Amino acid sequence: MSEVTVLKIGGSVLTDRSKERTLKLREINRIAKEIASVGVRDLIIVHGAGSFGHPQAKRFDLDVPGKCSYETIIIHNVVKELNRIFIEKLAENGMLVVPVHPLNCTISREGRLENMMTDQIRLMLKNDIVPVFHGDVIMDRIWGRAILSGDQIVAHIAKCLNAGRVGIGTNVDGIMDGKKVMDVITPEEFCGVKKLLKGSKDVDVTGGMASKANELFKLAEEGISSHVFNASKKGLVINFLSGERNFGTIIRGD
Ligand SMILES: Nc1ncnc2c1ncn2[C@@H]1O[C@H](COP(=O)(O)OP(=O)(O)O)[C@@H](O)[C@H]1O
Ligand SMILES: [Mg+2]
């Protein structure tokens, strides 16, 4: 296996977060084409839930600890709809993709991912298959169930597979200090930068940029760098997959 690349596409990129269960179909098409056009090997894709999960989870109070209920399954099913549509578009562009539903292979403890089965992921990569994960509701040892963000999945899988490259496509130009994009953030700066980070402006149950960056800072402490960039801007997914570095924010792990 060569170097693993983990690419996350935010739910804010693939869906209209102002309206429940609303796709940005043109964007889904464009992103699928961009990913397929580069043809990176050993690629793992993760996507967020956007309006296929956040507003529903908020309505059912799934963002507070609680037992697994019928509503939990509704959220799982709605985010799977988005996963199916994204996968279909990737497949239409010639990619060999399979869905990976975290509910079936992952458990958490008090909201933190504790264990994920990854042997099947390694075998998929070995067979040139691209696994496509999504944010999900999963079984939690203590709470009963918990919401698992795509960002937590990225950090976990990148660490388990010792990823060479980690890209986080979102709907802003990177980690912002006011109106300015921060080009690079080094471990010495993590503490100070945390003060600049807030949640999402949309209905959100996973903490927006604050939680996203937190996961990436922890990943950096394990020695793995990541790159936050605007996947809503045409061409930037291609640029990331092609190895360009002169855009967005690099979170330095070394
Ligand atoms: N310092 C910051 N830099 C960038 N984005 C920030 C910052 N603080 C808060 N945000 C918010 O976080 C959002 C990105 O997180 P989120 O909405 O969860 O996106 P995604 O769908 O990619 O997970 C941005 O659109 C922005 O509103
Ligand atoms: Mg988010």
Side-chain angles (χ1 to χ4, degrees), residues 8 17 54 151 204 206 208 212:
K8 189 215 169 191
R17 293 197 41 185
H54 286 273
D151 302 316
D204 187 87
T206 51
K212 193 188 298 300

Side-chain angles (χ1 to χ4, degrees), residues 8 10-13 17 151 169-172 174-176 196-202 204 208-209 212:
K8 189 215 169 191
S12 58
V13 178
R17 293 197 41 185
D151 302 316
T170 182
N171 66 344
V172 278
I175 296 186
M176 313 292 291
L196 308 170
L197 305 169
K198 306 240 156 46
S200 172
K201 54 186 173 346
D202 301 302
D204 187 87
M209 188 55 81
K212 193 188 298 300

Side-chain angles (χ1 to χ4, degrees), residues 110-175:
E110 296 184 288
R112 297 298 306 165
L113 199 164
E114 184 180 77
N115 187 28
M116 177 188 275
M117 196 180 146
T118 52
D119 285 0
Q120 83 285 23
I121 304 300
R122 292 172 209 275
L123 283 171
M124 285 174 195
L125 297 180
K126 209 169 152 192
N127 286 278
D128 294 327
I129 293 170
V130 178
V132 184
F133 285 88
H134 54 82
D136 204 353
V137 275
I138 60 171
M139 304 311 296
D140 188 283
R141 278 194 196 281
I142 310 295
W143 294 346
R145 49 93 180 129
I147 290 174
L148 179 70
S149 68
D151 302 316
Q152 256 202 77
I153 299 171
V154 167
H156 187 88
I157 199 82
K159 187 180 158 198
C160 281
L161 274 72
N162 194 24
R165 287 197 298 150
V166 178
I168 309 288
T170 182
N171 66 344
V172 278
D173 287 342
I175 296 186

Side-chain angles (χ1 to χ4, degrees), residues 6 34 46 51 56 63 89 127 131 162 179 195 197 229:
V6 180
E34 288 198 20
V46 180
S51 66
Q56 299 84 350
D63 51 339
K89 292 299 164 201
N127 286 278
N162 194 24
K179 289 202 162 76
K195 297 186 195 96
L197 305 169
F229 63 92

Side-chain angles (χ1 to χ4, degrees), residues 19-228:
K19 293 187 215 103
E20 212 167 298
R21 272 186 77 216
T22 308
L23 298 168
K24 284 187 185 163
L25 210 44
R26 281 231 306 269
E27 287 296 273
I28 294 177
N29 266 314
R30 175 184 63 79
I31 301 263
K33 279 199 169 63
E34 288 198 20
I35 297 173
S37 73
V38 184
V40 167
R41 289 189 62 115
D42 293 316
L43 175 66
I44 296 173
I45 298 175
V46 180
H47 68 81
S51 66
F52 286 69
H54 286 273
Q56 299 84 350
K58 193 98 198 160
R59 192 165 64 243
F60 298 141
D61 290 332
L62 260 68
D63 51 339
V64 290
K67 283 200 340 220
C68 194
S69 61
Y70 178 62
E71 284 78 14
T72 311
I73 314 305
I74 295 181
I75 305 298
H76 175 66
N77 285 336
V78 79
V79 69
K80 269 202 311 193
E81 271 183 58
L82 175 62
N83 181 256
R84 185 184 58 73
I85 292 160
F86 190 28
I87 288 222
E88 214 169 83
K89 292 299 164 201
L90 292 162
E92 275 173 20
N93 283 282
M95 290 181 67
L96 193 54
V97 276
V98 296
V100 181
H101 307 303
L103 173 63
N104 307 126
C105 60
T106 310
I107 52 172
S108 62
R109 178 182 290 272
E110 296 184 288
R112 297 298 306 165
L113 199 164
E114 184 180 77
N115 187 28
M116 177 188 275
M117 196 180 146
T118 52
D119 285 0
Q120 83 285 23
I121 304 300
R122 292 172 209 275
L123 283 171
M124 285 174 195
L125 297 180
K126 209 169 152 192
N127 286 278
D128 294 327
I129 293 170
V130 178
V132 184
F133 285 88
H134 54 82
D136 204 353
V137 275
I138 60 171
M139 304 311 296
D140 188 283
R141 278 194 196 281
I142 310 295
W143 294 346
R145 49 93 180 129
I147 290 174
L148 179 70
S149 68
D151 302 316
Q152 256 202 77
I153 299 171
V154 167
H156 187 88
I157 199 82
K159 187 180 158 198
C160 281
L161 274 72
N162 194 24
R165 287 197 298 150
V166 178
I168 309 288
T170 182
N171 66 344
V172 278
D173 287 342
I175 296 186
M176 313 292 291
D177 180 355
K179 289 202 162 76
K180 197 183 161 296
V181 182
M182 303 186 72
D183 299 332
V184 182
I185 305 177
T186 59
E188 300 74 50
E189 294 167 321
F190 291 167
C191 220
V193 172
K194 281 184 184 171
K195 297 186 195 96
L196 308 170
L197 305 169
K198 306 240 156 46
S200 172
K201 54 186 173 346
D202 301 302
V203 181
D204 187 87
V205 290
T206 51
M209 188 55 81
S211 306
K212 193 188 298 300
N214 242 337
E215 298 300 337
L216 301 174
F217 292 165
K218 276 186 239 154
L219 184 63
E221 279 156 11
E222 303 283 344
I224 298 181
S225 301
S226 58
H227 188 169
V228 181

